[in-house]
Amino acid sequence: MSSDADAGELGAAADAAPDGTPDDHGTLSVVGIGPGLPDHMTVKAKRVIETADVVIASSLYQEFLRADGTIPSEERTDEDGIATRDDGFEQEIVRSTMGRQIELARAAFDYVREGKDVAHVSGGDPSVYGKSDLIFKMADEEDATDVPIEIVPGMTAALGGAANVGAPLCNDFCTVSLSDKWRGWDEIEEKLRAAAVSDFVIVLYNCWRNYEKAVEIVREERTDDARVAIVNDAGRADAGRNGESEFITTLGEAADHDNKVSGMGTSLIVGNHETETWSNNDRTYLVTPRGGRDVEDF
């Protein structure tokens, strides 16, 4: 994308896009389904997927979407991926994998130009380490300015995980991905250190990579008694890869609990100096006050 476009140019382009779209084109919707289960999917996300001519989704997300009838069952899907709903409406279901993202982006543009509405499914929110950036970059690469693109937001792991452990994000927070696939570790370390010094509550994504290193960096700037929540498969109950769970510990002991870090579905919430615990019966929550520490301050 052009890096020298100012806000005015971007605003004008956004206003002009609908008028410049050919009438025979469909729409490409990048749809965030949150954890994937129906309770945590927005009504709009469900509607967009149900009415799409083409649904592009991984095997796992197809499984979730079939469970509540958002897309037809496997029994109603033929060997070419054509699925038939109860009302006779046919959808093409396309399997997405990490290695096919560029290919599928090009295919999505072609489907739209054929007049089909496409739902490109992303877990969580498509703009939080999701698929929306790739779609826009590919649209630029392929000169696909004629393709209408809509982003349908979903609940990301930071929000789902925070809800599971109480109210840790009620003050300023940031997210940092620990994946060094696209960013060098030096850059990740710099961001971690800056976030720790700035006293943000930090949500760490992709904790299956480098999480112990990240914890040690944050420990250099924060006290060891800072609260930490390790959250797995937030919002997925038993349908996730390892099952939904949460575990509260301290920054000083977080790296000792690698058995609680189960993989790609794990996120860590690292509290700041104001984050405290609140207990109700046998359960402990994390709370970061919005500003004041007393009720009278609200």
Side-chain angles (χ1 to χ4, degrees):
M1 291 184 178
S2 175
S3 59
D4 57 357
D6 61 21
E9 290 173 329
L10 289 173
D15 291 340
D19 295 334
T21 301
D23 293 337
D24 60 354
H25 279 37
T27 298
L28 171 56
S29 298
V30 188
V31 186
I33 61 170
L37 301 187
D39 284 351
H40 293 147
M41 195 188 322
T42 68
V43 173
K44 181 173 182 178
K46 183 176 176 64
R47 174 174 52 80
V48 167
I49 295 170
E50 287 177 333
T51 59
D53 300 294
V54 180
V55 178
I56 301 173
S58 70
S59 297
L60 178 64
Y61 296 148
Q62 287 186 34
E63 180 182 336
F64 290 157
L65 294 171
R66 287 192 173 104
D68 75 324
T70 302
I71 62 174
S73 65
E74 287 190 87
E75 290 73 22
R76 287 179 167 269
T77 306
D78 66 22
E79 59 184 15
D80 295 321
I82 305 301
T84 306
R85 307 188 68 87
D86 289 340
D87 60 2
F89 179 67
E90 292 187 344
Q91 294 181 296
E92 183 173 352
I93 311 298
V94 179
R95 180 173 174 266
S96 171
T97 62
M98 288 295 290
R100 299 183 63 203
Q101 294 305 310
I102 292 176
E103 168 195 345
L104 290 174
R106 292 192 178 107
F109 301 152
D110 290 338
Y111 282 125
V112 169
R113 287 166 175 149
E114 293 170 8
K116 297 178 179 179
D117 291 326
V118 179
H120 202 316
V121 174
S122 175
D125 183 280
S127 293
V128 183
Y129 312 119
K131 297 178 179 177
S132 57
D133 64 324
L134 173 64
I135 294 297
F136 281 111
K137 288 182 72 67
M138 285 299 300
D140 190 59
E141 181 77 17
E142 300 292 312
D143 195 24
T145 55
D146 60 314
V147 174
I149 298 173
E150 176 187 30
I151 307 300
V152 181
M155 186 173 70
T156 184
L159 304 183
N164 281 5
V165 299
L169 305 185
C170 288
N171 209 323
D172 297 330
F173 71 94
C174 68
T175 65
V176 179
S177 170
L178 300 184
S179 174
D180 53 7
K181 181 175 181 180
W182 291 283
R183 306 284 183 184
W185 179 253
D186 288 346
E187 181 179 345
I188 295 171
E189 181 175 338
E190 183 179 353
K191 291 178 178 179
L192 284 169
R193 201 176 304 282
V197 169
S198 300
D199 207 33
F200 284 110
V201 175
I202 308 169
V203 184
L204 302 178
Y205 279 67
N206 294 311
C207 292
W208 54 284
R209 302 171 75 102
N210 304 314
Y211 109 89
E212 293 98 336
K213 290 168 64 176
V215 166
E216 291 308 311
I217 289 167
V218 176
R219 285 183 69 189
E220 294 174 14
E221 310 297 341
R222 294 204 178 164
T223 60
D224 277 353
D225 61 357
R227 303 296 180 175
V228 172
I230 302 174
V231 184
N232 291 296
D233 288 323
R236 286 183 174 168
D238 295 329
R241 295 178 177 88
N242 296 284
E244 186 172 15
S245 67
E246 51 279 333
F247 178 77
I248 292 177
T249 182
T250 63
L251 185 61
E253 297 180 356
D256 298 331
H257 297 289
D258 58 331
N259 61 316
K260 304 290 185 182
V261 178
S262 62
M264 292 182 67
T266 302
S267 57
L268 261 67
I269 302 174
V270 182
N272 65 10
H273 81 280
E274 290 186 320
T275 304
E276 55 197 25
T277 58
W278 184 84
S279 297
N280 180 12
N281 297 322
D282 295 330
R283 187 168 179 186
T284 299
Y285 298 85
L286 293 186
V287 179
T288 306
R290 192 183 318 172
R293 298 183 65 85
D294 298 318
V295 174
E296 292 78 8
D297 293 328
F298 282 83

